[in-house]
C-alpha cells in the first residue's frame, strides 16, 4: 500500500470561478474519486450502461452529460446536476436511485473534485466506452483490393484479415448455398452437374438460378420472417381471436421479393392482411402496462426494424441504453387508439404520452392526425432514406443468416459496436441503393470470396472478443432438418396448415395463345358463408332448373375447412382439406326440372368460406353455376337467408385455389404439387424440441447447440422414427443395391462420396439385404452426423 | 512515483475498470454479474416433487374445512362454506376434510400453509394463474420465463447425471384445450431447451421415452448407435472434431444414449414395481404418476411435477357439480399422495425431498376472485338455492386464500402456517404468502437464493420477481 499526501490548502480553490491549474496531488482521482464513482454510479453509467443517456466511462463522456443536460460543470459543483441529485431530498430524483446514499464525506470529496477542475487519470476508463450508433447512413470508401479479391466485402474484410481463409470446395459451396437459399439439399444430380461444369462463373450462375425459384425461397425464408414477425399458425392468443396471422401476405411478399422498405411500410401501416404484426397479441384478462397492445407495438417495431430493445424502457428509463420511458410511450401513442398515460413499473405517473418518432432529426409525426395517418407517417420515417439504423439492422440480420454471426452480435443489440463498422455501413448503404432488394443483397453477399470461404473451426462460442476469420458454421434449423430428411426420404407431410398460394402458374399467357377449345372457364364463383358472426357450421342450398340432361357437369369445390355436397339427396363429394379442391362430374345425379344442390360446411377455426363452380351445357347454351349471394345459407338452428359474399376467387386468405388444382378429371394433371415444407405446417413435438420457437415473442436467433433432450427425441422419438420408417420403405422400392444406396445417400445428405471406411461401416450394418428395416438403420446414423446437421 | 507505486496503481485501476465487463458478455444464458455476490442458502432438500392439482383446488373442500352444510334441496347457497365435513389428522390443531383420510394420517410429516394468495388479474383464467404459479411471473412477458423446474435444472443441474433434471408427468400438451397456453410455461424459456422438461403425459408409457423406438430390438438400437459412432470416428474431416458445435452435438447424442441404455431407465418402467405396491398407487393416471415420481426420485431425479392434468372445465376446474367431482378426485389423489410420503420416508428419502401439493388458486361458493374484484362470475350452476346436486359445490375461482401442503425436504413436521377467515370472505387473515414468497421458500429449500439472476438481453432475470421473493423461514425445521 502507499499513501498520497493530502493537501488541505486548496480549499480556497473552491471559491475560484475560473479553473486554474491546480497541483495534481490536490485530489487523488485514483484513490479518492474513482472508488466513489465506482461504488455509487458505475452500475448504471459505465460499461455499456448509460441510464438517462449519461455515461461516465471517461471524462469526456461525463462532460457530455445525459438527457437532462450537463451532469457536471467543472469548477462549479454548486451548479452541477450530479451534486444536486446526490444531495437531493426528493425520492423521485435522488441518485443513486438504488442502493445506499452517498455519504456526506464522499459528497464533499466529489464537490472538491469538481470544483478543482475534475481531473481524470489519463487514459483511464471505467469500462468499454459506450458507443452510440450513428443514425445516418454513411458512404464508405473501399480499401484497395488484396490478391485480386475485388468484391467490396472482401476489400473491406481483407483490410483487417491476418490469414485469408481458404476457398471452399465446389461441393461444399453448393450445399451451403442451396441450404441458405432454399433450405434444401442439392440433389445428387444437381451436385454432379455442378461439379462437371467447367465455366468459371458457375458459382454466380447457380446463385442466380436458385434465387429465381421463388417458391423454394419463400418456403425456406418464411421461417426466419415468422420468427422475426412472431407469426405462427398456433400459439397463445388465437384461442380468443386476440391474434391474427399474416401468413398469406408474408408468403406472397417473399415470393414476389417485395422490396424491404415496402414490406416494412406494409407492416407498419398495414392492410387487413398484414395487420397481425403491429396488432400483437391481445391477452385475456388484465395485463400489466408493459404488455398492452400499444406497448407491444413500441417494443416489437423497435426490435424488429431497428434492433433497439425497448423492453426496458417500456417499464422505466433503460439502464442499458439511452431510451426513456417517455420515448417508449410516445412511440406507443402512434398506435394507440386512446390517450395513453405513462406508467412506470405498473404505476401511472400522471403524464400523458404524445405520438412521437424516435429520431426527430428525420422528421416527426403529427400527433393530432388520425391513427391511420400517424402510422403512415411512421412508416415513412422508419424507411426514410436517412435512417441508417433501419438498413443496418436488416443488413446485419441477413449477414448473420448467411455468415453465421452478426457484424453486430447479438443481432438485436444494435446499440453495441459492430466488429467492422465500415463493412456494416457499406452493406446498409448498398442495400438501400439496390432498392432494398433482399434477393439482390443475398446474391451480393454470396458472390463474395468471404461467403465462399471455408468455415472457421471455433473451439467455443465466441464472446465479445470475436474476430472475423471466415464464415461461421450454422446449425440447421428445425425446419431445415425436417425438410432435408423429408427431401431424401420423400416423406413430406400430405397437407399444409398455411393458407398460401403456392401454385406454379405464372401470369396468364397472352390472349393470342388461347385455344378456344381448351380455355377453362374463369372462376367467377365467390367465397360465401352465412352472414353475421362467423359460424362453425353452415348449410347451403341452391335450386337448379334444367331443360335437358347435360352429358357432363364439371364441378370444382372447396370449403374451409370441410364440406359434404349432395345433389338431389345423393352425396357427390366431400373433403376435410380445404387446400385440396375437389373436382367431380355431377351429371349422373342431375334430372330435368328442379334439382336441389345442398352443401354442409364446417370450419375448424380461423377463417371460413365455401366456393363452388359448376359448368354444363343446358340445351345448346353453356351455363355456369357459381356460389354467390343467390345461394341460401343458414347457421345451425337458424332460418335460410341469402349467403354473404366474402371474397372473389383469388382474394381472401385462400388464393386462386380452384384454378390451380382442378383440371377436369379427364384432362391430365397440370404437374405435381411441390412437397409440403416444414415452415408450412404447424409446430410439432419434434420441431419444438429442435428449437422452433413458440413465437409469443419476437425471436431472432435460435440455439446453436444440440441438447440432451433433443438428442433423446432424435434417438427414440416417434415422429422421426416414423418418418424414417416411411422413408426407408420408399427407398427400398427404388431397386438400388445397398452399396449404391449408401453412395447416393452420402452424395445427397453430405454432398460427397463416402470414404471406403465409411461405406464399409454402413455396408456392415446393412449387409446385402434390401429391406426397409435395414435401410432405416443406414439412414439414422447419417442423419445424426454433425456433418449432416451443420451447414458448413 | 516509484515503479512499485506505478504497478500498484495500475492494478488498482484494472480492478476498477473494464475487467469485470467481460463477464457480462451476452449470448447463451450466463449468470447475471451482480455487484454484490449472491449467497446461496444451504439446501435442505436435493429433490423436489410438485403435486399439481390443476384447475383450482377448493381449499374449504380439501385442506381448510369451514362450516359444513350437507346437500339439502332449497338450501341457500350463500350459507355454504364447505361441502365436506372436517376430519381429524395426525396433528392436533389441523383438521382437513372427509375423503382425505390417508393424507390426514401423514399430516405430521409436513407443514400446511393455509394463507397462500394470488393477485387479481381481472377476468380469471387458469392459464395465466398457472403460468404465474409455475414461473413466478404474470404473463404476458417480453421474454419467455422459465418454469420453476427449469430454474432448478439451470442452477442445480441434474442430481444424477444420466437423469433429466426436470420431468413433467401427466399433462398432455396436444389434444387438450388451452394447449398453447400450457406450452407457454411448460418450458425452460430463455434458458434454452437444455433445461426444459422431459414430458411424460402417460406414466404407463413413460418407459417408451427412454427406450429404443417402438418395435426396435435393443440390439438393433445399439448397433445403429455403434455405426453412428464409427462414422464419426472415421470422418475424413478431422479438424472439425474440435469445433464447439460439433462437439456439443456429439456430447448430447452420447448423453442421450447413456440414459437410453442406463440402468436408471428402469425407474421409468412401472411394470417393474411389485404388484402390491403398484396397486396402492394405482387410482388411475395420477396415482401412477405419483408412483413414477417416487421411482424417479429414488434414481436421482432433481425436479418432478405430477399433475392431475389441466383440461378446461374438467377435474379440479369445477364450474358445476363441484361436490361430486371433488369426492371422485379425492379418491384419485388421497391414497397415492399419502403413499408417496410414506414410501419416501421408508426409503430414507423424505428428509431430502421436498413434496409440495398445490393448485393455482382456491374456490368459493359465492365469490369470483376476491371481494371487490371485477372478475366475471364463471359458475355454470348459478342459483340462489340448491335445486339439484349439480348446484352443490364451490364453483367460483377464489384467489384470496389457498392451501399449500409441503412435506419433507427440511420443513417442520406437523406444522400449521397462516390462517383464513372462518366466515366468508375466506381471505387469508394471518401470514399471507404471495406466489413470489412461496417460490422463494421452495427455492431456498433447494439451496437457490430468490435473488439468483441470469442475464437476458443484458437485463437481470431473477428467480423470483425482481429478486423480491422472501422465503417463509418460519416453516423450516
Amino acid at each position: 500500500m502507499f499513501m498520497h499526501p493530502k493537501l488541505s490548502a486548496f480549499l480556497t480553490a473552491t471559491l475560484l470561478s475560473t479553473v486554474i491549474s491546480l497541483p495534481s496531488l490536490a485530489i487523488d482521482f485514483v484513490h479518492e474519486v474513482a472508488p466513489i464513482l465506482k461504488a455509487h454510479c458505475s452500475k448504471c453509467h459505465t460499461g455499456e450502461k448509460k441510464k438517462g443517456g449519461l455515461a461516465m466511462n471517461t471524462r469526456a463522456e461525463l462532460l457530455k452529460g445525459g438527457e437532462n443536460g450537463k451532469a457536471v460543470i467543472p469548477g462549479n459543483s454548486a451548479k452541477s446536476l450530479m451534486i444536486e441529485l446526490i444531495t437531493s431530498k426528493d425520492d423521485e430524483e435522488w441518485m443513486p436511485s438504488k442502493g445506499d446514499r452517498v455519504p456526506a464525506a464522499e459528497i464533499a470529496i466529489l464537490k472538491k473534485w469538481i470544483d478543482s477542475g475534475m481531473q481524470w487519470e489519463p487514459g483511464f476508463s471505467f469500462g468499454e466506452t459506450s458507443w452510440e450508433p450513428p443514425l445516418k447512413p454513411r458512404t464508405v470508401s473501399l480499401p484497395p483490393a488484396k490478391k485480386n479479391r475485388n468484391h467490396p466485402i472482401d476489400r473491406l474484410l481483407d483490410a483487417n484479415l491476418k490469414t485469408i481463409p481458404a476457398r471452399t470446395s465446389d461441393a461444399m459451396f453448393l450445399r451451403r448455398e442451396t441450404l441458405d437459399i432454399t433450405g434444401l439439399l442439392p440433389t445428387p444430380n444437381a451436385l454432379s452437374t455442378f461439379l462437371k461444369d467447367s465455366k468459371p462463373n458457375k458459382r454466380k450462375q447457380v446463385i442466380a438460378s436458385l434465387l429465381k425459384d421463388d417458391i423454394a425461397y419463400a418456403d425456406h425464408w418464411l421461417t426466419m420472417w415468422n420468427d422475426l414477425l412472431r407469426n405462427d399458425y398456433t400459439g397463445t392468443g388465437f384461442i380468443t381471436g386476440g391474434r391474427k396471422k399474416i401468413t398469406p401476405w408474408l408468403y406472397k411478399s417473399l415470393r414476389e421479393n417485395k422490396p424491404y422498405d415496402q414490406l416494412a411500410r406494409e407492416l407498419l401501416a398495414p392492410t387487413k392482411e398484414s395487420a397481425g404484426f403491429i396488432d400483437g397479441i391481445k391477452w385475456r384478462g388484465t395485463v400489466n402496462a408493459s404488455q398492452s397492445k400499444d406497448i407491444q407495438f413500441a417494443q416489437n417495431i423497435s426490435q424488429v426494424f431497428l434492433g433497439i430493445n425497448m423492453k426496458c424502457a417500456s417499464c422505466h428509463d433503460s439502464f442499458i441504453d439511452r431510451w426513456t420511458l417517455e420515448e417508449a410511450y410516445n412511440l406507443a401513442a402512434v398506435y394507440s387508439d386512446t390517450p395513453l398515460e405513462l406508467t412506470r413499473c405498473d404505476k401511472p405517473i400522471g403524464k400523458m404520452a404524445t405520438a412521437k418518432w424516435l429520431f426527430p432529426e428525420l422528421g416527426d409525426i403529427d400527433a393530432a392526425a388520425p391513427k391511420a395517418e400517424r402510422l403512415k407517417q411512421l412508416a415513412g420515417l422508419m424507411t426514410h432514406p436517412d435512417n441508417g439504423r433501419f438498413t443496418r439492422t436488416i443488413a446485419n440480420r441477413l449477414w448473420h443468416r448467411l455468415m453465421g454471426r452478426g457484424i453486430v452480435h447479438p443481432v438485436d443489440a444494435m446499440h453495441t459496436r459492430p466488429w467492422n463498422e465500415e463493412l456494416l455501413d457499406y452493406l446498409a448503404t448498398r442495400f438501400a441503393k439496390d432498392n432494398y432488394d433482399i434477393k439482390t443483397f443475398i446474391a451480393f453477399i454470396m458472390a463474395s470470396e468471404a461467403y465462399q470461404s471455408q468455415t472457421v473451426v471455433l473451439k467455443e462460442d465466441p464472446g465479445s472478443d470475436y474476430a472475423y476469420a471466415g464464415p461461421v458454421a450454422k446449425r440447421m434449423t428445425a425446419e431445415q432438418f425436417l425438410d432435408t430428411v423429408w427431401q431424401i426420404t420423400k416423406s413430406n407431410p400430405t397437407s399444409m396448415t398455411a393458407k398460401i398460394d403456392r401454385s406454379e402458374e405464372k401470369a396468364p399467357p397472352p390472349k393470342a395463345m388461347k385455344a378456344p377449345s381448351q380455355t377453362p372457364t374463369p372462376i367467377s364463383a365467390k367465397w360465401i358463408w352465412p352472414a353475421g358472426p362467423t359460424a362453425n357450421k353452415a348449410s347451403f342450398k341452391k335450386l337448379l332448373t334444367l331443360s335437358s340432361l347435360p352429358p357432363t357437369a364439371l364441378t370444382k369445390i372447396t370449403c374451409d375447412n370441410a364440406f359434404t355436397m349432395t345433389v338431389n339427396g345423393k352425396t357427390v363429394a366431400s373433403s376435410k382439406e380445404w387446400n385440396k379442391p375437389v373436382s367431380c362430374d355431377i351429371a349422373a345425379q342431375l334430372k330435368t326440372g328442379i334439382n336441389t344442390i345442398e352443401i354442409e360446411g364446417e370450419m375448424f377455426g380461423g377463417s371460413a368460406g365455401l366456393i363452388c363452380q359448376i359448368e354444363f351445357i343446358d340445351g345448346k347454351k353453356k351455363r355456369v353455376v357459381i356460389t354467390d349471394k343467390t345461394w341460401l345459407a343458414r347457421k345451425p338452428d337458424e332460418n335460410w337467408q341469402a349467403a354473404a359474399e366474402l371474397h372473389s376467387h383469388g382474394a381472401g386468405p385462400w388464393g386462386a385455389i380452384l384454378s390451380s388444382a382442378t383440371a377436369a378429371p379427364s384432362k391430365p394433371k397440370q404437374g405435381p404439387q411441390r412437397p409440403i415444407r416444414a415452415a408450412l405446417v404447424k409446430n410439432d413435438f419434434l420441431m419444438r424440441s429442435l428449437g422452433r420457437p413458440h413465437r409469443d415473442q419476437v425471436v431472432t436467433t435460435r440455439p446453436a447447440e444440440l441438447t440432451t433432450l433433443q438428442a433423446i427425441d432424435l434417438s427414440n422419438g416417434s415422429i422421426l422414427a416414423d418418418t424414417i420408417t416411411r422413408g426407408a420403405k420408399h427407398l427400398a422400392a427404388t431397386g438400388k443395391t445397398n452399396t449404391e444406396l449408401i453412395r447416393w445417400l452420402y452424395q445427397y445428405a453430405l454432398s460427397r462420396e463416402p470414404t471406403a471406411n465409411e461405406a464399409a461401416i454402413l455396408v456392415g450394418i446393412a449387409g446385402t439385404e434390401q429391406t426397409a428395416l435395414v435401410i432405416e438403420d443406414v439412414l439414422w446414423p447419417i442423419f445424426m452426423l454433425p456433418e449432416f446437421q451443420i451447414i458448413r | 512515483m516509484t515503479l512499485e507505486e506505478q504497478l500498484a496503481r495500475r492494478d488498482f485501476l484494472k480492478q476498477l475498470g473494464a475487467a469485470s465487463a467481460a463477464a457480462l458478455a451476452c449470448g447463451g444464458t450466463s449468470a447475471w454479474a451482480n455487484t454484490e455476490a449472491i449467497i446461496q442458502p444451504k439446501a435442505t432438500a436435493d429433490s423436489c416433487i410438485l403435486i399439481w392439482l390443476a384447475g383450482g383446488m377448493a381449499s374449504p373442500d380439501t385442506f381448510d374445512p369451514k362450516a359444513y352444510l350437507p346437500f339439502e334441496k332449497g338450501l341457500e347457497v350463500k350459507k355454504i362454506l364447505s361441502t365436506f365435513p372436517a376430519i381429524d389428522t395426525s396433528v392436533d390443531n389441523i383438521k382437513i376434510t372427509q375423503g382425505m383420510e390417508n393424507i390426514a394420517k401423514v399430516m405430521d410429516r409436513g407443514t400446511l400453509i393455509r394463507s397462500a394468495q394470488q393477485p387479481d388479474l381481472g377476468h380469471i383464467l387458469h392459464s395465466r394463474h398457472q403460468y404465474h404459479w409455475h414461473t413466478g411471473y404474470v404473463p404476458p412477458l417480453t421474454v419467455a420465463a422459465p418454469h420453476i423446474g427449469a430454474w432448478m435444472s439451470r442452477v442445480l443441474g441434474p442430481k444424477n447425471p444420466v437423469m433429466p433434471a426436470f420431468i413433467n408427468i401427466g399433462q398432455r400438451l396436444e389434444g387438450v384445450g388451452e394447449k398453447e397456453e400450457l406450452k407457454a410455461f411448460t418450458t425452460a424459456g430463455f434458458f434454452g431447451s437444455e433445461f426444459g422438461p422431459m414430458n411424460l403425459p402417460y406414466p404407463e408409457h413413460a418407459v417408451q421415452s427412454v427406450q429404443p423406438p417402438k418395435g426396435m430390438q435393443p440390439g438393433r438400437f445399439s448397433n445403429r448407435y455403434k455405426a453412428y459412432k464409427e462414422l464419426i470416428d472415421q470422418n475424413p474431416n478431422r479438424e472439425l472434431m474440435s469445433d464447439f458445435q460439433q462437439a456439443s452435438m456429439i456430447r448430447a447424442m452420447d448423453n442421450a444414449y447413456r440414459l437410453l441404455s442406463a440402468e436408471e431407465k428402469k425407474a421409468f418402467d412401472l411394470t417393474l414395481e411389485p404388484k402390491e405396491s403398484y396397486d396402492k398407487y394405482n387410482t388411475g393416471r395420477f396415482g401412477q404418476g405419483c408412483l413414477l415420481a417416487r421411482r424417479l426420485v429414488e434414481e436421482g431425479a432433481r425436479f418432478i411435477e405430477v399433475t392431475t392434468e389441466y383440461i378446461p372445465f374438467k377435474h379440479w376446474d369445477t364450474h358445476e357439480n363441484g361436490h361430486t367431482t371433488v369426492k371422485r378426485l379425492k379418491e384419485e389423489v388421497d391414497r397415492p399422495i399419502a403413499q408417496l410420503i410414506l414410501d419416501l420416508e421408508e426409503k430414507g428419502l423424505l428428509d431430502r425431498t421436498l413434496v409440495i401439493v398445490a393448485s393455482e388458486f382456491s374456490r368459493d361458493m359465492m365469490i369470483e376472485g376476491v371481494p371487490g374484484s371485477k372478475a366475471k362470475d364463471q359458475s355454470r350452476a348459478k342459483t340462489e338455492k340448491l335445486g339439484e346436486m349439480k348446484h352443490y359445490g364451490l364453483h367460483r375461482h377464489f384467489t384470496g386464500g389457498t392451501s399449500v401442503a409441503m412435506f419433507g425436504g427440511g420443513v417442520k413436521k406437523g406444522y400449521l402456517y397462516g390462517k383464513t377467515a372462518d366466515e366468508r370472505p375466506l381471505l387469508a387473515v394471518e401470514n399471507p404468502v404471495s406466489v413470489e414468497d412461496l417460490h422463494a421458500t421452495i427455492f431456498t429449500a433447494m439451496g437457490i437464493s430468490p435473488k439468483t439472476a441470469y442475464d437476458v438481453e443484458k437485463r437481470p432475470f431473477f428467480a423470483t420477481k425482481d429478486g423480491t421473493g422472501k422465503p417463509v423461514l418460519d416453516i423450516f425445521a
Side-chain angles (χ1 to χ4, degrees), chain B residues 40-41 440-441 443-444 448-452 462-464 466-471:
Chain B
Q40 300 295 9
T441 311
F443 280 136
T444 300
I448 300 173
S449 162
K451 289 188 200 297
T452 306
F462 293 91
T464 61
D466 298 335
T468 55
K470 297 258 177 312

Side-chain angles (χ1 to χ4, degrees), chain A residues 201-447:
Chain A
N201 64 342
K202 66 175 178 178
R203 291 193 178 193
K204 217 170 166 182
Q205 277 181 350
V206 79
I207 294 169
S209 83
L210 282 166
L211 280 168
K212 238 181 233 156
D213 184 346
D214 57 333
I215 294 181
Y217 168 83
D219 287 347
H220 168 56
W221 285 84
L222 184 63
T223 294
M224 168 192 144
W225 289 98
N226 274 342
D227 281 8
L228 188 63
L229 300 175
R230 217 214 44 226
N231 179 51
D232 212 334
Y233 312 106
T234 54
T236 45
F238 286 119
I239 193 166
T240 46
R243 179 174 179 180
K244 279 177 275 179
K245 297 166 201 156
I246 57 169
T247 319
W249 171 87
L250 181 56
Y251 190 83
K252 189 162 174 274
S253 303
L254 293 175
R255 274 193 75 173
E256 289 170 358
N257 191 30
K258 190 172 280 173
Y260 180 63
D261 58 335
Q262 186 190 340
L263 186 106
R265 281 192 294 269
E266 289 179 21
L267 284 166
L268 288 165
T271 62
K272 218 172 138 193
E273 278 68 37
S274 55
F277 171 62
I278 59 167
D279 282 347
I281 305 178
K282 176 154 178 30
W283 288 72
R284 300 180 291 171
T286 313
V287 163
N288 74 56
S290 66
Q291 275 292 283
S292 70
K293 282 179 71 170
D294 303 331
I295 295 295
Q296 282 183 47
F297 166 85
Q299 291 170 350
N300 288 341
I301 67 163
S302 304
Q303 180 178 0
V304 168
F305 297 118
L306 299 166
I308 289 176
N309 187 337
M310 209 52 100
K311 294 171 186 175
C312 302
S314 49
C315 205
H316 46 69
D317 293 353
S318 175
F319 305 135
I320 57 171
D321 54 25
R322 71 179 182 89
W323 303 105
T324 63
L325 181 73
E326 193 166 342
E327 282 166 315
Y329 268 80
N330 287 348
L331 186 60
V334 176
Y335 173 83
S336 183
D337 293 306
T338 49
L340 200 57
E341 184 179 1
L342 269 62
T343 301
R344 183 183 293 129
C345 300
D346 249 3
K347 284 185 197 76
I349 60 168
K351 186 170 180 182
M352 302 308 290
T354 319
K356 264 202 186 110
W357 160 242
L358 295 171
F359 302 103
E361 304 94 304
L362 301 179
D364 217 335
I365 285 167
D366 175 8
K371 177 176 170 181
E373 178 56 29
R374 295 197 304 266
L375 289 172
K376 228 172 114 189
Q377 290 175 0
L378 176 71
L381 289 163
M382 183 68 86
T383 58
H384 193 290
D386 281 345
N387 187 0
R389 297 193 61 159
F390 174 70
T391 44
R392 274 182 217 113
T393 302
I394 185 68
N396 190 52
R397 289 194 197 289
L398 294 169
W399 178 274
H400 164 244
R401 292 284 148 167
L402 300 174
M403 299 295 287
R405 192 178 170 87
I407 304 169
V408 173
H409 203 89
V411 290
D412 289 321
M414 289 302 288
H415 62 283
T416 56
R417 201 195 282 273
W419 51 258
N420 190 330
E421 222 173 323
E422 272 69 32
L423 176 63
L424 183 59
D425 284 345
Y426 178 86
L427 291 172
T429 308
R430 171 121 196 168
F431 178 65
K433 227 185 247 166
D434 288 343
N435 298 316
Y436 301 84
D437 183 323
I438 295 172
K439 281 192 180 177
T440 301
F441 188 68
I442 291 172
F444 178 70
I445 293 179
M446 287 185 164

Side-chain angles (χ1 to χ4, degrees), chain A residues 48 121 286 458 716 757 777, chain B residues 9 128 209 211 244 458:
Chain A
E48 286 172 5
E121 177 77 10
T286 313
L458 292 171
N716 80 347
N757 281 345
D777 292 346
Chain B
R9 191 176 178 83
R128 291 188 75 204
S209 300
Q211 263 177 350
F244 83 97
K458 308 209 170 188

Side-chain angles (χ1 to χ4, degrees), chain A residues 171-172 174-176 179 184-188 191 476 480-481 484-485 487-489 731 741-754 762 778-792:
Chain A
M172 284 337 292
L174 186 70
R175 185 178 195 267
R176 181 192 300 172
L179 278 163
L184 295 171
L185 295 162
T187 62
L191 178 65
M476 279 184 178
Q480 273 175 321
F481 177 77
T484 49
V485 167
Q487 185 188 10
I488 292 171
T489 58
L731 294 176
L741 181 73
I742 288 162
R743 200 175 150 222
W744 178 84
L745 282 172
Y746 260 69
Q747 289 169 352
Y748 213 154
L750 309 176
S751 297
R752 67 174 173 92
E753 300 285 331
L762 290 169
V778 171
L779 286 172
W780 185 83
I782 294 178
F783 291 150
M784 291 308 113
L785 291 176
E787 191 182 351
F788 176 70
Q789 296 183 24
I790 294 177
I791 305 169
R792 290 211 170 266

Side-chain angles (χ1 to χ4, degrees), chain A residues 486-532:
Chain A
W486 292 341
Q487 185 188 10
I488 292 171
T489 58
K490 292 213 183 321
S491 52
N492 296 65
T494 50
S495 66
M496 63 178 172
T497 326
K499 293 180 179 178
I500 51 170
D501 181 5
R502 233 166 144 244
S503 56
E504 307 270 356
E505 272 183 10
K506 300 290 169 206
K511 271 186 182 169
M513 284 176 66
K514 278 190 186 172
S517 60
Q518 289 178 336
T519 310
T521 312
I523 306 292
S524 51
K526 304 283 194 294
W527 290 93
I528 60 170
W529 206 251

Side-chain angles (χ1 to χ4, degrees), chain A residues 30 48 121 126 283-284 286 291 311-312 458 473 694 697 708-710 715-716 757 776-777 787 792, chain B residues 9 17 121-122 125 128 140-141 180 193 196 209 211 220 224 234-235 243-245 457-459:
Chain A
V30 171
E48 286 172 5
E121 177 77 10
F126 277 105
W283 288 72
R284 300 180 291 171
T286 313
Q291 275 292 283
K311 294 171 186 175
C312 302
L458 292 171
H694 201 57
Q697 288 91 13
T708 305
L709 287 171
Q710 295 171 351
S715 299
N716 80 347
N757 281 345
E776 279 181 42
D777 292 346
E787 191 182 351
R792 290 211 170 266
Chain B
R9 191 176 178 83
L121 304 179
L125 297 160
R128 291 188 75 204
L141 293 168
E180 299 302 323
S193 62
S209 300
Q211 263 177 350
R220 211 186 125 206
R224 201 169 82 156
Q234 294 299 323
N235 193 293
D243 183 75
F244 83 97
Q245 279 198 57
E457 297 172 357
K458 308 209 170 188
R459 293 182 289 159

